[in-house]
């Protein structure tokens, strides 16, 4: 079974631009979560989608948004990029959204650099 | 609120020696606890989890973890370390009282270095 895939793997953007990152979960997984990883703040939860609905949201500004499609694929968007948005963005999928015992499987991440 | 602490930024151990990576947690309800490992330029790989039941859980690559409710700890262990175990290890928790969903709170990570 294929793992979680994320595209693109690397991205360089300029301050003020917007960016869209894509995540394809493991087949059969309906929950998709996004995390931001930076050296200073570590791993921080952005949001989670299940059945095309946002179920949880972390403490990030409204510039960060996401969505999930009917095939469980997910995208996240960051508008008006700031230098501090430079990070590794990780997507994780899980078998079911209502069962907290299910572990999450992570993709390789998208490395975003804002200049 | 749920939180996790990993008190050691780095742990050094000789190959063949046992290793322990420490983790303590704080939750309001019951904890669901996870360990992940991250190699350079890679995503996180799931190692093991504690949901309920036996306090000693076994996971991938010979790792195990011991859940201690009174000490609110979930330390990762391996009887005999390998150089290839050198990586960044994350402990994560989810509180049973946070409702549905998969929001995990991660510790700051512990860099494990195994030397010959």
């Amino acid at each position: 079974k294929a793992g979680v895939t994320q595209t693109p793997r690397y991205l360089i953007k300029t301050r003020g631009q917007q960016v869209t990152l894509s995540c394809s979960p493991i087949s059969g997984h309906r929950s998709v979560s996004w995390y931001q990883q930076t050296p200073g703040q570590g791993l921080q939860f952005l949001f989670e989608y299940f059945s095309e609905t946002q179920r949880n949201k972390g403490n990030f500004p409204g510039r960060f948004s996401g969505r999930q499609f009917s095939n469980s694929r997910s995208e996240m968007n960051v508008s008006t990029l700031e230098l501090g948005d430079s990070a590794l963005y990780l997507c994780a999928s899980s078998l079911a959204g209502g069962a907290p015992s299910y572990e999450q499987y992570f993709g390789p991440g998208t490395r975003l650099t804002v200049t | 609120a749920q939180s996790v602490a990993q008190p050691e930024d780095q742990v050094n151990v000789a190959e063949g020696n046992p290793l322990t990576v420490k983790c303590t947690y704080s939750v309001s309800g019951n904890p669901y606890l996870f360990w992940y490992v991250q190699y350079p330029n890679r995503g996180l790989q799931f190692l093991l989890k504690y949901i309920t039941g036996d306090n000693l859980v076994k996971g991938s690559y010979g790792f195990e973890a011991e859940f201690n409710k009174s000490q609110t700890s979930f330390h990762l262990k391996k009887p005999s370390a390998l150089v290839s175990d050198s990586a960044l290890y994350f402990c994560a928790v989810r509180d049973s009282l946070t409702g549905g969903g998969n929001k995990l709170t991660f510790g700051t990570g512990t860099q494990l270095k195994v030397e010959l």
Side-chain angles (χ1 to χ4, degrees), chain B residues 92-106:
Chain B
V93 70
R94 187 187 175 287
D95 191 338
S96 66
L97 293 184
T98 56
N102 279 318
K103 178 182 178 180
L104 286 179
T105 297
F106 284 87

Side-chain angles (χ1 to χ4, degrees), chain A residues 31 37 48 55 101 103-104, chain B residues 36 38 43 49 94 100-102:
Chain A
S31 167
Q37 185 177 21
E48 181 207 0
R55 282 170 20 115
S101 60
E103 60 272 20
Q104 295 179 41
Chain B
Y36 287 86
Q38 186 177 35
K49 65 182 178 183
R94 187 187 175 287
N102 279 318

Side-chain angles (χ1 to χ4, degrees), chain A residues 61-114:
Chain A
R63 300 185 297 107
F64 291 82
S65 63
R67 59 176 175 168
Q68 186 180 35
F69 302 95
S70 58
N71 61 357
S72 294
R73 191 176 71 84
S74 177
E75 289 181 348
M76 69 163 281
N77 183 278
V78 187
S79 63
T80 318
L81 283 166
E82 301 177 0
L83 294 179
D85 297 333
S86 294
L88 181 66
Y89 289 88
L90 294 164
C91 168
S93 75
S94 179
L95 191 57
S101 60
Y102 286 114
E103 60 272 20
Q104 295 179 41
Y105 291 90
F106 284 77
T110 294
R111 172 74 63 187
L112 172 65
T113 302
V114 182

Side-chain angles (χ1 to χ4, degrees), chain A residues 15-89:
Chain A
R15 234 175 352 170
Q17 288 184 316
Q18 73 162 10
V19 65
T20 299
L21 312 182
S22 180
C23 171
S24 293
I26 292 172
S27 177
H29 286 195
R30 296 169 61 196
S31 167
V32 174
S33 299
W34 289 89
Y35 294 83
Q36 181 196 64
Q37 185 177 21
T38 60
Q41 299 297 318
L43 275 158
Q44 293 187 286
F45 173 81
L46 279 157
F47 30 64
E48 181 207 0
Y49 287 86
F50 178 70
S51 293
E52 302 179 63
T53 301
Q54 187 181 89
R55 282 170 20 115
N56 283 294
K57 190 176 189 308
N59 189 27
F60 278 82
R63 300 185 297 107
F64 291 82
S65 63
R67 59 176 175 168
Q68 186 180 35
F69 302 95
S70 58
N71 61 357
S72 294
R73 191 176 71 84
S74 177
E75 289 181 348
M76 69 163 281
N77 183 278
V78 187
S79 63
T80 318
L81 283 166
E82 301 177 0
L83 294 179
D85 297 333
S86 294
L88 181 66
Y89 289 88

